[in-house]
Amino acid sequence: RLVAVRPSASCISKRWRPERFAAVADRLAAEQGVRIVLVAGEGDAACAHEAARAMRQPALNLAGRLSVAELAALLRRCRCLLSNDSGPVHIAAAIGIPVVDLFGRNQAGLSPQRWGPLGAGHVILHKEVGCVTCLAHNCDIGFLCLTSLSVEEVYRAVVTVLERGTPL
């Protein structure tokens, strides 16, 4: 049983901390008996390497090593993708793999309603923190929309997806 974890995104306003991904991945491996595979593009592999260093459980770190086609083939073998708002979310959704998608920004044009995975069976986690206008990477409240998401909430969301089973 594989669970893919993508602890990176193109913009800091979309990134939950790598050490939090590591904590969720460790719990999933220890308590759910899944094998963790870390994925990221070549340009943002540093977040995956940071998560791998923070983990206590073993993980297969393929960050920066897969083409888009290879990523799709890998995701097809996974039970779930846990990810920040990023391109692999849409690849997983397109091939019928459920996603737990962590979302920060929530405004027309930036929101999970606009950019979340299409289809049923996905879980989008987002905290409404009262921003009238999202300042994206210029956030002046420390990305509270993301930092408010707890390891426990994310872990429970992935467990819920795993208990439902795949494919969608």
Side-chain angles (χ1 to χ4, degrees), residues 2-4 75 78-82 97-100 158 161-162 166:
L2 289 174
V3 171
L75 290 173
C78 293
R79 300 279 310 275
C80 176
L81 169 65
L82 167 60
I97 302 305
V99 175
V100 174
V158 175
V161 168
L162 293 174
T166 56

Side-chain angles (χ1 to χ4, degrees), residues 69-116:
E70 291 168 330
L71 174 62
L74 172 67
L75 290 173
R76 181 153 311 277
R77 299 192 61 186
C78 293
R79 300 279 310 275
C80 176
L81 169 65
L82 167 60
S83 180
N84 288 306
D85 170 32
S86 64
V89 164
H90 305 291
I91 294 170
I95 61 175
I97 302 305
V99 175
V100 174
D101 192 3
L102 309 184
F103 242 93
R105 306 182 297 181
N106 189 25
Q107 253 183 297
L110 302 175
S111 70
Q113 292 75 28
R114 169 71 172 92
W115 292 107

Side-chain angles (χ1 to χ4, degrees), residues 9-166:
S10 61
C11 177
I12 194 166
S13 64
K14 297 180 175 187
R15 290 186 206 136
W16 201 50
R17 302 292 308 148
E19 65 273 7
R20 290 184 174 196
F21 278 102
V24 172
D26 275 339
R27 277 191 72 187
L28 290 168
E31 297 174 20
Q32 301 299 316
V34 299
R35 182 144 189 225
I36 302 297
V37 59
L38 297 165
V39 296
E42 189 174 325
D44 56 1
C47 288
H49 297 317
E50 189 177 335
R53 282 191 299 275
M55 288 182 67
R56 294 180 315 275
Q57 300 290 326
L60 178 59
N61 186 355
L62 297 179
R65 298 174 53 196
L66 302 175
S67 68
V68 172
E70 291 168 330
L71 174 62
L74 172 67
L75 290 173
R76 181 153 311 277
R77 299 192 61 186
C78 293
R79 300 279 310 275
C80 176
L81 169 65
L82 167 60
S83 180
N84 288 306
D85 170 32
S86 64
V89 164
H90 305 291
I91 294 170
I95 61 175
I97 302 305
V99 175
V100 174
D101 192 3
L102 309 184
F103 242 93
R105 306 182 297 181
N106 189 25
Q107 253 183 297
L110 302 175
S111 70
Q113 292 75 28
R114 169 71 172 92
W115 292 107
L118 297 177
H122 308 294
V123 176
I124 296 172
L125 295 177
H126 172 267
K127 292 286 184 161
E128 183 57 58
V129 295
C131 297
V132 175
T133 300
C134 178
L135 300 174
H137 58 277
N138 294 317
C139 180
D140 59 5
I141 59 170
F143 305 105
L144 192 58
C145 55
L146 284 169
T147 60
S148 294
L149 290 172
S150 73
V151 167
E152 180 65 24
E153 288 173 288
V154 175
Y155 172 77
R156 294 292 341 143
V158 175
V159 169
T160 297
V161 168
L162 293 174
E163 288 173 349
R164 279 190 290 205
T166 56

